[in-house]
Amino acid sequence: MRKSNIFATVIYFIFTFGIGVIFALTLPGYFATFTVPAEVIAEALKEGDFLTALVLSEPIGFSKEPAAEQKFEGGGGLVLYETVMEVYDTGTSDDADPPADGLTRGMLYKCYTGYLYGVEGSYDVYGESDNQTSLTVTAADGTEKRLPLLDYDANADGKNDGISTFIQSGFVLLEIRESDVSSVKKLTFTDRRGTAAYTAEAAKELRFESAFFGCFGDMGAYNELVAAGNREGITEEETESLVAARNAYVDAVVKAVGEQSGCEVTARSEEYKAASETVGKRANGKAVPFIILYFVAIYIIADFLLGTHYIIKFFKWFLFKVCKIPHKEKRGPAKEDVFGHDYYSMVTFSLDLGEVPEFSGSVEIKYTGEGEEFVFSLLKEGGYTATLRMKAGVYVNPFIDIDRTYAPVDLPDNLVVEGYRMDKIVKIVRREV
């Protein structure tokens, strides 16, 4: 193999294996974050395992008993739980409006979290023009608040056209914040035309007041600690003091939730541990086959492009040696017919470039025999001539490494080496397109 081929092989494998390592490190996390949770939630909702679906929405804590639950006559239903959530993404990029409730990353808020499920095929929410899909929350005193449900813009016209989780997985994630409404009594889901499609009513008015919510104490004071820790110019001593105060609040909440029957800190709950394990296994199950196929593919490509052809040789060996499939072997004349005793010959290969005077690339011709591989490297600076010392005999498995635009027309299938000197001229022509 020429030095140029060795260099190309090294670069190829460094590059492709580097990409493979990146896939191995990132793909499981990608699937576990962006695709698998929605699949597990959809399956859990179909099985009525609402707590598994709830914990995968990743609240800080939750109450195990539904705050509201209703089944619809045509199938599907709605379920809501008391939860406390943490702000992960405020959407405060340069081109986005600041959050209406003033909360920033790391702050906590009370909400009712749940799902509208089992209504795919009957709830028409996708529309690129004047889409009126929404959730209307009605309090006990009749006050109404319209909350948006649409979350993605399919045609990039600046207006949302559908609900991503509903289109992809058949459920709508619901989150009704205390900052949105003062209480919840009735929920009305409208479709893209503004028609009321589903209605659910809580058995009692939900006021964001309960033993569970009480476990979180003065949540506003905690959010002030978060805001103070995020301000510019804060000193190291102030940071340490704020961190200590926040940790003390967290410890108090964990203790209070643990003492309250039916309430859980999500990260410590059995439901979350089981759901996380399921997500992790499924994410690995998606990533590992892809990674294996990737490495197999880059090896196959390398084997064919870089000229080793081990795959072809393996199948020939397996089919003809192991499976004993009969085949007609190319044979040259027997050694004893070619020479009478053991000796070596100086074999010279030259190229006839009469029909391709513009050719200036390098050529490599290989033959195998006597348990060795013989390579003739024909270079422009050497006048496209190369000589090797070879034992008299028959050499097979010819291979030529040449620019794919060109091809040999008289490269022998069997190279019969005889005499003390031997010259072989190989004519090169341009391939027909």
Side-chain angles (χ1 to χ4, degrees):
M1 182 180 291
R2 297 197 311 268
K3 290 183 178 180
S4 59
N5 278 1
I6 295 174
F7 179 75
T9 301
V10 171
I11 293 299
Y12 173 82
F13 278 111
I14 289 177
F15 179 73
T16 54
F17 270 77
I19 294 176
V21 170
I22 293 173
F23 282 150
L25 293 175
T26 60
L27 274 183
Y30 171 81
F31 287 125
T33 302
F34 295 106
T35 63
V36 174
E39 297 175 4
V40 176
I41 289 172
E43 293 173 5
L45 291 172
K46 288 180 180 180
E47 297 169 0
D49 183 7
F50 300 132
L51 285 179
T52 292
L54 176 67
V55 296
L56 287 177
S57 68
E58 297 192 339
I60 295 299
F62 62 94
S63 175
K64 286 188 172 183
E65 289 300 318
E69 184 177 4
Q70 183 169 328
K71 298 290 175 63
F72 302 134
E73 290 185 3
L78 172 138
V79 62
L80 286 178
Y81 289 87
E82 297 172 349
T83 65
V84 169
M85 307 290 287
E86 180 180 355
V87 178
Y88 295 108
D89 183 8
T90 60
T92 55
S93 61
D94 294 338
D95 58 350
D97 295 329
D101 54 15
L103 298 181
T104 58
R105 185 183 299 275
M107 293 185 179
L108 306 180
Y109 58 92
K110 299 178 184 178
C111 67
Y112 289 99
T113 303
Y115 295 93
L116 175 69
Y117 63 93
V119 295
E120 59 267 33
S122 59
Y123 188 30
D124 187 7
V125 302
Y126 184 82
E128 296 183 357
S129 175
D130 191 28
N131 193 331
Q132 301 179 51
T133 300
S134 65
L135 166 62
T136 299
V137 181
T138 306
D141 62 3
T143 304
E144 294 184 345
K145 178 66 178 290
R146 184 173 180 269
L147 302 178
L149 293 177
L150 303 175
D151 62 2
Y152 77 94
D153 181 4
N155 58 2
D157 64 352
K159 297 179 181 179
N160 287 335
D161 308 311
I163 305 172
S164 56
T165 57
F166 188 72
I167 297 297
Q168 296 171 3
S169 306
F171 64 81
V172 180
L173 174 62
L174 305 173
E175 187 180 286
I176 305 172
R177 300 188 181 193
E178 186 180 26
S179 59
D180 294 328
V181 295
S182 59
S183 65
V184 179
K185 180 60 179 175
K186 181 181 177 182
L187 302 175
T188 303
F189 296 89
T190 58
D191 61 18
R192 66 185 180 90
R193 298 180 180 85
T195 304
Y198 293 96
T199 300
E201 191 163 348
K204 61 179 181 179
E205 189 174 18
L206 309 178
R207 293 184 171 274
F208 301 92
E209 297 174 355
S210 68
F212 166 72
F213 287 128
C215 293
F216 285 80
D218 192 350
M219 197 178 299
Y222 175 80
N223 289 341
E224 290 177 2
L225 293 174
V226 174
N230 292 335
R231 73 177 188 272
E232 294 183 3
I234 187 171
T235 66
E236 184 176 343
E237 291 76 10
E238 289 174 322
T239 299
E240 292 178 357
S241 176
L242 291 170
V243 170
R246 289 173 61 177
N247 289 341
Y249 173 84
V250 171
D251 292 340
V253 169
V254 171
K255 181 180 179 182
V257 173
E259 293 173 350
Q260 186 65 48
S261 177
C263 300
E264 294 281 353
V265 173
T266 303
R268 301 189 177 202
S269 69
E270 293 301 321
E271 292 84 1
Y272 183 73
K273 292 176 183 177
S276 297
E277 184 177 352
T278 299
V279 169
K281 288 182 179 178
R282 189 168 299 187
N284 288 334
K286 287 177 175 288
V288 170
F290 178 90
I291 295 168
I292 291 175
L293 287 175
Y294 172 80
F295 279 106
V296 170
I298 65 174
Y299 176 77
I300 292 174
I301 293 171
D303 191 64
F304 281 94
L305 290 183
L306 301 177
T308 52
H309 299 100
Y310 291 127
I311 295 175
I312 294 175
K313 292 175 183 177
F314 168 78
F315 280 107
K316 285 183 177 179
W317 170 82
F318 181 77
L319 293 174
F320 301 137
K321 300 296 184 180
V322 177
C323 298
K324 304 297 183 182
I325 295 177
H327 69 294
K328 184 178 180 180
E329 295 186 3
K330 294 180 180 180
R331 296 181 179 275
K335 274 189 181 181
E336 54 267 26
D337 295 332
V338 177
F339 56 93
H341 58 275
D342 193 11
Y343 66 95
Y344 285 86
S345 175
M346 299 301 292
V347 180
T348 299
F349 265 84
S350 302
L351 298 185
D352 177 1
L353 303 178
E355 294 190 18
V356 287
E358 78 283 0
F359 182 83
S360 61
S362 60
V363 178
E364 191 175 84
I365 298 174
K366 303 178 185 178
Y367 279 93
T368 57
E370 297 292 332
E372 296 183 56
E373 183 179 76
F374 293 85
V375 181
F376 293 86
S377 296
L378 301 136
L379 306 176
K380 183 177 182 179
E381 51 268 31
Y384 291 110
T385 299
T387 302
L388 293 178
R389 181 173 180 269
M390 302 173 67
K391 191 174 183 180
V394 179
Y395 296 82
V396 295
N397 298 328
F399 175 78
I400 185 167
D401 184 2
I402 190 174
D403 184 333
R404 300 296 295 174
T405 307
Y406 304 91
V409 295
D410 52 3
L411 187 67
D413 289 336
N414 298 286
L415 178 64
V416 181
V417 175
E418 57 184 336
Y420 291 102
R421 295 195 62 85
M422 175 180 170
D423 295 311
K424 179 64 183 176
I425 299 175
V426 178
K427 186 177 182 180
I428 303 298
V429 298
R430 180 178 290 274
R431 291 182 186 269
E432 295 183 1
V433 180

